Amino acid sequence: MRRRSYEGEADVARLQRFNAESIAATGGCGYLHPGDIVHHLFYGNRHFDPVDLTTIWEDESGVAAWVLAHPKFRSYDIQVRHDLRGGGFEREVLEFADARIVEAMRANGVESDVIYGDAFRCDLVRVELLAEMGWKRDEDPPYIINRARITDIPKPEVPDGYTIRPVAGVKEAAAVAAVHQGAFPGANWTEEEYRTVMESPGYDPARELVAEAADGTFAAFAVTWYDELNRTGLMEAVGTHVDHRQVGLGRAIVRFAAHHMAAAGMEFATVANSESNAASSALYRSAGFEPWHVLDDYEKTIG
């Protein structure tokens, strides 16, 4: 078994293929959508170098596992190949990840006596390992991955005064940053930061959809990602600017995004939300989605 750091763009495709194949083998239990890999690497960790945060294990069959540390969030992603789950190797990777996130936090001035993680409720092997290693399940509402067959999702009804279209490219980085910032005020997006995201491996402006108001400003957005192997699309992130809420834009752009995925060959669409967010839950139910997988949050006290 060889362990190494992230080595560049080819690793993005390599990890996405690994996750797609793992989803195909397990029905999605325990694995991030391939689009989440890009989202976590270059959105959530946009202030960090992926070389410093990403570790990959390989054997004669290819990728065996990978870990991505999230210093800002005091957490990490860990994915282990389905044929290696539940044994000594998975425990070894978890132990490495525990130590790695503490190291990354301290290197970046993040102080905490607790680290955080999650696990698919259906992944009984991971749940058991976490308990054995001192992790405690959080009692807060879980995270829900919702799924729909796209043919079951109604066609969008776009509110008067708005149109929905793909982003035209990096020339619209400022406008896209503004709608992201307006939807999630604490995110602190700048034009320069979003331009960097748009130029990162795996991003395609044709897969980021925006609702444009009559005055040309962007009012809502949905970033879409494709898993061609499993014919499943993901919407991450999705948001509506605070100045354009309560007019039906959220439902319209989610439905539009699903049918945009279908045109690219996707059969299913997925989108996630915290069960505590009643507005998001209602939005996705109204758009035709149903709960698919449940993820529980975990926490662990560190010395």
Side-chain angles (χ1 to χ4, degrees):
M1 188 74 67
R2 175 194 177 211
R3 190 180 77 200
R4 65 174 177 85
S5 297
Y6 174 90
E7 295 177 352
E9 184 172 346
D11 274 339
V12 175
R14 189 172 287 115
L15 297 183
Q16 288 185 302
R17 183 169 59 253
F18 168 84
N19 271 55
E21 291 171 350
S22 298
I23 290 167
T26 64
C29 178
Y31 294 97
L32 298 170
H33 186 281
D36 271 324
I37 297 171
V38 179
H39 184 77
H40 292 186
L41 273 169
F42 303 112
Y43 281 61
N45 282 307
R46 62 184 181 275
H47 298 125
F48 299 93
D49 186 338
V51 174
D52 297 330
L53 304 182
T54 313
T55 306
I56 300 169
W57 286 255
E58 294 173 313
D59 62 12
E60 63 278 0
S61 298
V63 175
W66 61 268
V67 166
L68 172 62
H70 303 287
K72 177 181 176 182
F73 303 107
R74 298 171 287 168
S75 65
Y76 57 77
D77 295 322
I78 169 174
Q79 304 276 256
V80 177
R81 200 170 65 217
H82 62 91
D83 61 314
L84 296 171
R85 284 160 69 170
F89 177 67
E90 183 165 6
R91 177 183 287 272
E92 174 188 323
V93 176
L94 277 163
E95 290 173 346
F96 172 91
D98 283 4
R100 183 69 190 92
I101 186 56
V102 173
E103 179 185 33
M105 287 161 53
R106 290 173 178 166
N108 289 280
V110 179
E111 297 184 6
S112 176
D113 58 359
V114 177
I115 56 176
Y116 299 95
D118 58 41
F120 282 66
R121 192 172 291 180
C122 58
D123 188 355
L124 301 181
V125 167
R126 174 67 58 81
V127 169
E128 182 177 352
L129 273 173
L130 291 176
E132 291 174 0
M133 295 174 63
W135 287 84
K136 303 296 183 183
R137 193 174 85 178
D138 196 315
E139 296 305 318
D140 288 341
Y143 198 62
I144 308 297
I145 300 177
N146 307 284
R147 187 173 76 152
R149 187 179 296 274
I150 296 174
T151 53
D152 293 337
I153 297 176
K155 297 292 185 180
E157 296 179 1
V158 182
D160 291 343
Y162 297 92
T163 57
I164 300 177
R165 63 170 176 84
V167 171
V170 294
K171 66 183 181 180
E172 294 189 315
V176 179
V179 71
H180 279 251
Q181 181 68 27
F184 305 111
N188 298 319
W189 282 104
T190 66
E191 177 183 358
E192 181 180 358
E193 285 179 334
Y194 210 84
R195 179 180 291 271
T196 300
V197 166
M198 296 174 83
E199 294 172 342
S200 65
Y203 176 90
D204 182 350
R207 295 200 310 267
E208 177 153 12
L209 306 171
V210 289
E212 187 173 14
D215 64 0
T217 59
F218 292 167
F221 68 91
V223 187
T224 65
W225 310 92
Y226 300 160
D227 174 357
E228 286 85 0
L229 177 62
N230 296 290
R231 298 182 65 192
T232 299
L234 167 71
M235 302 177 204
E236 179 65 83
V238 179
T240 301
H241 194 287
V242 293
D243 294 340
H244 296 271
R245 291 178 179 168
Q246 305 302 317
V247 297
L249 271 182
R251 182 170 61 246
I253 201 163
V254 165
R255 288 179 173 179
F256 189 100
H259 290 283
H260 189 73
M261 293 173 179
M266 300 299 104
E267 182 178 356
F268 297 96
T270 59
V271 65
N273 68 281
S274 170
E275 193 173 61
S276 65
N277 190 331
S280 291
S281 295
L283 167 62
Y284 299 138
R285 296 296 89 71
S286 71
F289 289 82
E290 295 294 337
W292 182 38
H293 285 302
V294 177
L295 286 84
D296 292 302
D297 289 326
Y298 286 77
E299 61 180 54
K300 182 178 183 179
T301 301
I302 57 176

